[in-house]
Amino acid sequence: MGPLAKAAIFPTIDKAAAHALIVGDWGWLDSLSPDDLRGGSSYAAQTQVAQGMQRFVKTQQLRPDAVFFLGDSWYGDLPQGAASPRWVNQFEKMYPAEVFPGPAYSMFGNHDYQMLPPTVNKVEAELEYARIGRGIDGKPTRWTLPSRWYTFDFPEHHPLMHCIVLDSNMPGKDGRWQHNENFTLKPEEQAEQLRWFEQQLQKPRTAPFLVVMGHHPVYSNGPHGDHPVLVRDWDPLFRKYKVDLYMAGHDHDLQILQFEDHPTTHFLSGGGGADLYVLKVDDMQRGPYAQEVHGFGHLSVDRHEIQLRHLDADGRFLFGIAKTADGKLRVLQA
Ligand SMILES: [Fe+2]
Ligand SMILES: [Zn+2]
């Protein structure tokens, strides 16, 4: 591909804006044999997407300010917890600091809310890895996960987005929060987080854009569908406080959903390497975009607008939109 063709595919990327890469459902392991930990073919799709992210960054000559990891960080066992070799193979080396030097903001998916192996609580292990602040190769880690719900400004200096990261692992209707190796928030934690979330939203705005992230989508065209608890508890707050963007993973596909008279754009990026899902609702019915494909996202933001793109596992443009600070949307042309 010559330089002209590249320019035609990405005509509007503003190098002076702040940039982030986005990837969900990534730490894949399709069997539990020890060979998987030695970097065999078992996480081939994760590797392909990660290399596509690197190629995209290099081709576009970007220096990303951050990566947003949208949860389901570790499928299967995380032997030795915070000291697992998986941290080096499937995080530190897979998304190398030379290419992605900024913080790696993370959150918890349902596959992180597991005791696997039975002696390892993956939630505690992921918090511990962030707390220690060093990978087991001794180098400082970019893994950023201070607690199960937290806020950060993006970029860190002269922020353009205030980001609220939520824990979307809701207990069952009957209050049940444990089932075999799987668990969720307890009902009292669910209530505590919801109070905290509204307190954050009530604070005066400090940046042009307000962004919320969580692993489970509120609305999805994928097999998991719309989430009744999040539609009930979070969506009215998105509307009331005019949240500009909600980012999620969980459905293993890529989507952008926009509803009429709704201030929030829903960006779903669950194509980081886990097995793909078959969509339930076509993007002609509800969109503008849904595709079952491996891939990742790119966000760029300046004071005037956020641009969001879906790229495939080779870093090729699939679909994108721009959203201005006063809520106007346009489709980005490839
Ligand atoms: Fe997942
Ligand atoms: Zn999930």
Side-chain angles (χ1 to χ4, degrees):
M1 190 192 291
L4 276 176
K6 279 178 204 155
I9 289 176
F10 299 104
T12 51
I13 287 183
D14 175 3
K15 301 282 194 305
H19 296 270
L21 278 282
I22 304 158
V23 64
D25 304 81
W26 48 278
W28 184 242
L29 188 65
D30 62 1
S31 85
L32 301 179
S33 86
D35 288 343
D36 293 321
L37 304 178
R38 298 194 198 107
S41 61
S42 60
Y43 42 83
Q46 183 193 355
T47 304
Q48 196 192 349
V49 175
Q51 288 175 353
M53 291 167 69
Q54 293 185 49
R55 193 174 310 128
F56 175 80
V57 166
K58 287 174 188 163
T59 308
Q60 296 302 321
Q61 298 177 311
L62 300 177
R63 194 181 180 282
D65 298 275
V67 180
F68 305 147
F69 285 93
L70 300 179
D72 278 357
S73 305
W74 299 120
Y75 292 85
D77 283 16
L78 189 64
Q80 304 164 64
S84 173
R86 294 188 74 184
W87 287 104
V88 174
N89 295 335
Q90 283 183 271
F91 172 66
E92 302 289 357
K93 287 185 184 162
M94 187 72 77
Y95 313 95
E98 306 86 76
V99 186
F100 309 105
Y105 295 106
S106 192
M107 67 194 68
F108 291 109
N110 48 304
H111 283 274
D112 305 298
Y113 260 88
Q114 290 176 322
M115 304 287 298
L116 278 179
T119 50
V120 172
N121 177 325
K122 289 196 274 182
V123 167
E124 289 305 325
E126 293 181 35
L127 291 168
E128 190 186 342
Y129 191 75
R131 212 163 35 233
I132 293 167
R134 287 192 175 275
I136 57 177
D137 56 358
K139 294 185 191 141
T141 184
R142 297 150 291 152
W143 185 256
T144 305
L145 189 51
S147 51
R148 288 183 292 174
W149 47 88
Y150 66 100
T151 65
F152 67 91
D153 286 324
F154 177 83
E156 287 174 294
H157 305 291
H158 308 295
L160 298 163
M161 304 182 344
H162 184 63
C163 301
I164 303 173
V165 180
L166 298 177
D167 188 329
S168 60
N169 293 283
M170 298 296 159
K173 264 197 219 123
D174 54 2
R176 190 153 104 155
W177 61 274
Q178 250 176 332
H179 180 63
N180 299 332
E181 74 270 22
N182 302 299
F183 60 107
T184 63
L185 291 168
K186 296 172 188 161
E188 58 270 28
E189 292 167 334
Q190 175 187 8
E192 184 193 336
Q193 175 180 237
L194 190 58
R195 277 195 302 274
W196 175 90
F197 180 33
E198 185 150 22
Q199 284 166 7
Q200 300 308 309
L201 293 169
Q202 284 165 344
K203 291 180 179 173
R205 283 217 186 195
T206 53
F209 295 96
L210 178 59
V211 177
V212 178
M213 305 179 204
H215 176 66
H216 294 73
V218 176
Y219 297 103
S220 171
N221 288 10
H224 289 117
D226 301 346
H227 192 304
V229 175
L230 303 186
V231 170
R232 183 195 68 195
D233 289 352
W234 292 3
D235 195 55
L237 298 176
F238 289 1
R239 288 178 185 272
K240 183 174 175 188
Y241 295 97
K242 299 201 175 1
V243 170
D244 296 291
L245 171 65
Y246 178 66
M247 290 197 272
H250 191 52
D251 266 318
H252 299 168
D253 47 52
L254 308 177
Q255 302 181 36
I256 297 177
L257 301 181
Q258 182 67 51
F259 303 97
E260 231 183 310
D261 300 323
H262 197 307
T264 312
T265 300
H266 294 258
F267 185 87
L268 193 155
S269 185
D275 56 338
L276 294 176
Y277 292 166
V278 177
L279 290 165
K280 205 169 63 173
V281 182
D282 190 77
D283 59 10
M284 297 298 280
Q285 285 176 58
R286 199 168 81 161
Y289 177 75
Q291 193 174 349
E292 52 207 65
V293 61
H294 282 120
F296 61 94
H298 168 243
L299 176 150
S300 64
V301 58
D302 62 19
R303 294 205 68 76
H304 306 291
E305 69 177 17
I306 293 182
Q307 296 190 355
L308 291 157
R309 292 175 173 79
H310 282 305
L311 298 309
D312 73 10
D314 295 317
R316 282 188 295 252
F317 178 84
L318 294 169
F319 190 83
I321 57 161
K323 182 173 196 175
T324 61
D326 58 0
K328 291 195 181 65
L329 288 156
R330 69 174 197 282
V331 172
L332 297 173
Q333 299 299 330

